[in-house]
Amino acid sequence: MAGPAPIVKRFREVYPSSGEPRVWRAPGRVNLIGEHTDYNLGRVLPMAIQLECAVATAAFDGNVLRVISDQLSRGAQWRIDDIPNLEPQGDWSDRVAGIAWELARRGVTIEPQNVLISSTVPLGGGLSSSAAFGVALALALGGARDPLELAQVARAAEMDFVGVPCGIMDQFVSTHGQAGAAILLDCRSFEFRPVKLPQEIAVVAANSMVKHDLGNSAYRRRVEECADAARLLGVASLREATADRLKELSGVPLKRARHVVTENIRVERFAAAAQRGDPEEMGRAMIESHRSLRDDYEVSCAELDFLVETALEVPGVFGARLTGGGFGGCTVNLVRREAVNGLEAALISSYRAAFGRTPEIHVCAASAGASQLI
Ligand code: GLA
């Protein structure tokens, strides 16, 4: 965590007539395993990371909420009285408006203020830039809340205002993250526990630097396809489907359901292997997860497959898979600490040669959930 100094300095520059700001932060995440299981009420195992979104805010006279995003070099403002009736505009400002609107819907009075948002989570990189943004802003505008409620505010804004039918994983880990541990979450009961990774292991995210347009519509379609498969099986969600019932399905419903059923089992396998310090088995579960996402869930792409296959040839790499929604963004790699440099060099040179882009590599540190800095 960089601390509040840089954002406070920047706040004084962009709002010279404002008072001293208060500052909050919320982390992005990398999901180790349990992909596309959250909206099926299954299990996920994400880790909050050191890349984070900071929000600085100070009260200001007038009847407006004024917001500037440093990362986007954009600003927007709303009259306080208009907030409960805001409509989405189809641009970046919806993410801000959605949080204010959702808080208003929950009876929170939004005070007139100047807000600066500054994030180190790469946009569209599959490390959950929007959940970090939403959680940090909900905390800044809505005051201290229970971490689960805070996650639910940010998710509701995303679903009901922005219109993305996402699960709870990203927002949950952004509010419940723990330094030094990943979080095993049951998305049906919200029960969770920290999972420590073996000491000798590093978690490395590799950003493909692409985000195929297909992503948003395909995500929505997968949510619907899973609901269809659950209906065919007569269960409330695919969380309730078991492996022996898969033979009742065929075609697309079979492929989607098979991914979800086997992925939930892989999460448990991975968590148990982490507990007994067995990185080989953790890696195997990740590799199987990627193949299932590629072949059954069909959310991978050439760039992600390439990064995964390249990583798996590097000595000291236990496992690699796509992380997040898919169709671009990042892969996550489980690697022996002393092999991190070799992995980074191999991914950069091979990916450049194949796709003409330089992947950004992030060695991830398990970080604490959202908090107030000053
Ligand atoms: C996105 C969503 C999450 C989750 C993942 C896939 O990150 O925001 O809720 O569904 O995709 O696991």
Side-chain angles (χ1 to χ4, degrees):
M1 194 190 311
I7 193 170
V8 170
K9 183 165 174 281
R10 189 75 190 115
F11 188 89
R12 290 191 193 121
E13 283 164 18
V14 299
Y15 296 119
S17 45
S18 253
E20 280 302 288
R22 288 172 304 156
V23 180
W24 288 263
R25 57 162 281 280
R29 62 101 187 92
V30 65
N31 188 21
L32 300 178
I33 197 158
E35 214 67 80
H36 288 278
T37 45
D38 61 353
Y39 53 83
N40 288 300
L41 307 189
R43 300 182 192 90
V44 293
L45 216 172
M47 178 175 119
I49 59 176
Q50 74 277 16
L51 301 174
E52 61 185 23
C53 180
V55 173
T57 166
F60 199 68
D61 291 344
N63 188 31
V64 293
L65 170 65
R66 189 174 293 119
V67 175
I68 292 177
S69 160
D70 238 6
Q71 201 176 24
L72 296 171
S73 306
R74 300 229 175 96
Q77 63 179 50
W78 297 267
R79 280 166 32 93
I80 296 290
D81 307 337
D82 293 342
I83 288 174
N85 303 313
L86 290 176
E87 299 277 347
Q89 304 296 306
D91 62 24
W92 76 278
S93 68
D94 287 352
R95 294 224 136 75
V96 181
I99 295 290
W101 175 84
E102 176 60 27
L103 286 167
R105 189 157 79 147
R106 290 171 186 242
V108 176
T109 308
I110 308 288
E111 303 294 339
Q113 57 195 300
N114 287 335
V115 180
L116 175 66
I117 303 172
S118 182
S119 180
T120 53
V121 191
L123 283 174
L127 298 179
S128 201
S129 54
S130 45
F133 185 100
V135 167
L137 190 63
L139 198 51
L141 297 182
R145 317 181 86 75
D146 157 66
L148 178 58
E149 195 195 346
L150 187 60
Q152 282 166 332
V153 167
R155 182 189 180 204
E158 195 87 4
M159 288 181 62
D160 300 343
F161 195 84
V162 182
V164 181
C166 63
I168 190 78
M169 167 170 73
D170 303 348
Q171 295 83 5
F172 190 96
V173 73
S174 188
T175 60
H176 291 77
Q178 294 187 17
I183 303 292
L184 173 61
L185 168 66
D186 180 324
C187 297
R188 186 172 56 185
S189 64
F190 298 136
E191 273 171 48
F192 68 99
R193 67 176 167 84
V195 172
K196 284 204 168 24
L197 304 185
Q199 277 297 325
E200 71 272 23
I201 295 300
V203 172
V204 176
N207 191 340
S208 66
M209 312 304 280
V210 296
K211 186 79 205 158
H212 295 296
D213 282 349
L214 195 64
N216 282 346
S217 56
Y219 188 90
R220 205 176 294 278
R221 200 157 354 103
R222 294 295 176 279
V223 173
E224 285 163 12
E225 288 165 349
C226 287
D228 289 345
R231 221 171 290 125
L232 288 169
L233 291 173
V235 290
S237 71
L238 284 183
R239 161 61 179 271
E240 265 123 76
T242 46
D244 57 310
R245 297 212 47 205
L246 291 174
K247 55 182 179 305
E248 296 169 37
L249 299 172
S250 62
V252 169
L254 169 63
K255 291 172 94 174
R256 307 303 186 241
R258 186 163 55 201
H259 167 72
V260 175
V261 168
T262 56
E263 185 77 351
N264 276 324
I265 296 168
R266 282 187 289 269
V267 174
E268 293 292 331
R269 256 173 70 196
F270 182 101
Q275 201 139 15
R276 61 174 191 271
D278 181 353
E280 268 92 12
E281 171 65 359
M282 295 162 76
R284 275 192 294 274
M286 289 174 77
I287 296 167
E288 287 170 32
S289 168
H290 183 78
R291 305 232 153 108
S292 175
L293 287 159
R294 183 189 65 192
D295 302 335
D296 271 348
Y297 218 68
E298 299 177 281
V299 291
S300 191
C301 60
E303 293 87 346
L304 292 172
D305 290 342
F306 182 89
L307 286 170
V308 166
E309 297 306 327
T310 305
L312 294 180
E313 279 164 24
V314 176
V317 172
F318 295 105
R321 53 180 290 279
L322 72 83
T323 187
F327 298 103
C330 284
T331 60
V332 55
N333 304 269
L334 202 68
V335 52
R336 230 180 253 298
R337 287 201 179 277
E338 56 277 19
V340 168
N341 291 342
L343 172 64
E344 177 164 359
L347 290 179
I348 289 179
S349 67
S350 307
Y351 193 72
R352 258 194 206 147
F355 293 96
R357 291 172 194 261
T358 305
E360 265 172 25
I361 309 295
H362 305 280
V363 180
C364 298
S367 303
S371 58
Q372 182 166 11
L373 292 179
I374 49 173

